[in-house]
Amino acid sequence: MTPEGLILLSPYDLALSAGLVLMLAGLSWQLSLEIGGRMLIASARATVQLLLLGLVLKALFSTTNPWLVAGLATLMLAVAGYEVMARQRHRLSGPWGYGAGTLSMFLSSFSISVLALLVVVQPTPWYAPQYAIPLLGMLLGNTMTGVAVSLDHLTRQTLDKRLQIEARLAIGQPAIEAIGDIRRDALRAGLIPIVNSMTTAGIVSLPGMMTGQILAGSPPMEAAKYQLMILFLIAAGTGLGSMTAVLLGSNRLFDRRSRLRRDRLGE
Amino acid sequence: MSGLRIEGLTGAGVRADHLHIVAGSCYSLSGPSGSGKTLLLRAIADLDQTDGEVWLDDQARSRLSGPEWRRRVNYLAADSQWWARCVGEHAADWHAPDLVALGFESEVLDWEVQRLSSGERQRLALARALAHAPQALLLDEPTANLDQHNTERVEQLLADWRRDKHGCVLWVSHDPAQQSRVANQHYRIRDGVLEHRDDA
């Protein structure tokens, strides 16, 4: 079933746009920018992942099995958690290296997706994969960035300012006070992208989802409403996720006697 | 028993079986670099994990929270650290007489930390520690960046503080003359183990 006015893309169209990336990679190789290889790998990953997702969703949409939806959601979360960990230069040691980011994303993205499905969008059944999976994906993708940036900022700043933190502890400041500035900065860093994208949405940039809907033939006003909802959900999810991550992370950096535990940070 | 008392402190690379700094007195601590002087001070301040017990008067360290203990037993690092823009923001309750005794006027609180010399920072870090009203001070070479005049100021201020507040001081110093000037008893640390010095 094809909605009216939808222009289908042929493999030839895709190959043409992929050619642009190849050209860029060649250019970067010529200028020895050392980003060409990574760009090609990322493009290849995106191609495989999105085509696979297309196949999976096609199968999923025809069943509406809640367990399959839950399974795919868990897989998405697991991969997002790994990405957050991989982007940390100084990871929390032990299970927290993976756990802090993953737990934060679970608490924020999952709860906000469920809330949006139950209260805002209200498809039947509420876990209908056509709505649940794209919504969760959009939230996870953005929350992931916020969480990764916040955690990275937190651990990096803590290492850099270790002596200052300990000087504050040494005059009797509680851990929360001694790391308060760093926590605030980490949170702010994680929220800058979403604040920026809300600020320029519709003027400088046409958000991806709205673009997609319009290209797929939706009326612009409907696309705008959906995009607004998504932006709000993303802002809430990113904020909640980054906050949780910064809280979990900074608690983990101190022990019960409010000592800064350098040994709980890798490298 | 008044003063700062250490019993069987081990871990974090140091061992101190017994040390009792009587209230109002100052003990010196010396030893080659890398022997663990700083580690011992950090261990007493509970900035590193150790076994054993430390008492301040009749109060056991383990009965207080980390921040409560460190408010009473203040460790001052050799390299003074500052986290806010202006000097004054680093404590709520600066003692003007301490600042004067260290050669500053009270306007110093409006100064930017960045513009201070390392000697000024070191003296102000001591004033900052005293502004938090500790009962014991663990000082890591507190006059390392100071000329003779300012060294005398610091020594005098600490002597007065011990007398007036019955405070205890453990003072890391490399200078034998300074050790005998400021301290009542002398300790040394060798390969992480604290021992009393009979030669001094």
Side-chain angles (χ1 to χ4, degrees), chain A:
Chain A
M1 186 183 75
T2 306
E4 210 165 323
L6 179 57
I7 303 170
L8 293 172
L9 289 181
S10 68
Y12 175 74
D13 299 329
L14 280 180
L16 206 66
S17 43
L20 292 175
V21 177
L22 277 178
M23 203 176 72
L24 185 68
L27 204 62
S28 113
W29 186 64
Q30 282 275 304
L31 299 171
S32 45
L33 294 178
E34 293 173 7
I35 190 76
R38 278 167 60 193
M39 171 113 42
L40 285 182
I41 292 174
S43 309
R45 270 189 67 166
T47 311
V48 174
Q49 286 160 198
L50 287 179
L51 289 180
L52 267 179
L53 181 69
L55 281 177
V56 169
L57 289 184
K58 194 173 158 191
L60 204 60
F61 287 2
S62 55
T63 65
T64 325
N65 180 335
W67 294 109
L68 283 178
V69 177
L72 183 59
T74 310
L75 180 71
M76 288 161 72
L77 176 69
V79 175
Y82 179 81
E83 272 300 316
V84 167
M85 188 177 72
R87 287 189 207 172
Q88 306 298 309
R89 216 186 129 133
H90 310 282
R91 276 167 220 159
L92 294 171
S93 58
W96 286 96
Y98 182 75
T102 312
L103 185 63
S104 320
M105 286 188 293
F106 172 72
L107 288 176
S108 59
S109 297
F110 273 52
S111 55
I112 289 187
S113 296
V114 169
L115 183 84
L117 288 169
L118 285 175
V119 182
V120 186
V121 187
Q122 295 181 320
T124 36
W126 67 269
Y127 50 83
Q130 289 93 321
Y131 294 90
I133 297 298
L135 200 60
L136 181 66
M138 199 83 117
L139 274 166
L140 265 182
N142 287 280
T143 310
M144 180 174 81
T145 308
V147 167
V149 170
S150 292
L151 270 181
D152 189 49
H153 202 96
L154 178 77
T155 51
R156 200 185 285 244
Q157 288 285 309
T158 301
L159 273 188
D160 282 357
K161 298 190 172 165
R162 199 174 112 235
L163 296 175
Q164 286 184 14
I165 296 174
E166 291 203 314
R168 301 178 77 156
L169 293 176
I171 54 168
Q173 286 192 6
I176 291 183
E177 203 178 326
I179 203 172
D181 299 343
I182 294 177
R183 264 172 35 163
R184 262 191 299 281
D185 283 351
L187 196 55
R188 199 174 303 148
L191 292 185
I192 282 174
I194 178 63
V195 170
N196 284 347
S197 76
M198 286 203 290
T199 310
T200 58
I203 304 178
V204 183
S205 63
L206 204 57
M209 173 178 166
M210 190 164 163
T211 311
Q213 279 199 321
I214 292 176
L215 288 182
S218 290
M221 207 53 203
E222 292 309 308
K225 285 196 287 191
Y226 255 94
Q227 183 63 55
L228 260 183
M229 179 194 74
I230 287 288
L231 277 177
F232 294 150
L233 294 180
I234 287 174
T238 310
L240 206 63
S242 305
M243 253 180 242
T244 315
V246 166
L247 270 173
L248 286 174
S250 55
N251 278 347
R252 180 66 192 157
L253 291 171
F254 296 91
D255 62 16
R256 283 220 310 273
R257 296 200 55 82
S258 303
R259 304 180 191 106
L260 179 65
R261 294 294 296 273
R262 170 67 181 83
D263 55 314
R264 291 178 181 175
L265 265 184
E267 198 195 340

Side-chain angles (χ1 to χ4, degrees), chain A residues 166 170 257-259 261, chain B residues 42 46 49 64 70 74:
Chain A
E166 291 203 314
R257 296 200 55 82
S258 303
R259 304 180 191 106
R261 294 294 296 273
Chain B
R42 288 175 56 96
D46 207 8
Q49 282 177 287
L64 293 171
R70 293 189 280 264
N74 209 213

Side-chain angles (χ1 to χ4, degrees), chain B residues 147-165:
Chain B
D147 59 22
Q148 195 196 337
H149 184 48
N150 281 316
T151 300
E152 283 166 15
R153 282 174 159 161
V154 167
E155 291 176 3
Q156 187 59 49
L157 174 65
L158 285 165
D160 294 344
W161 176 76
R162 284 194 284 132
R163 192 192 57 231
D164 297 343
K165 306 275 199 272

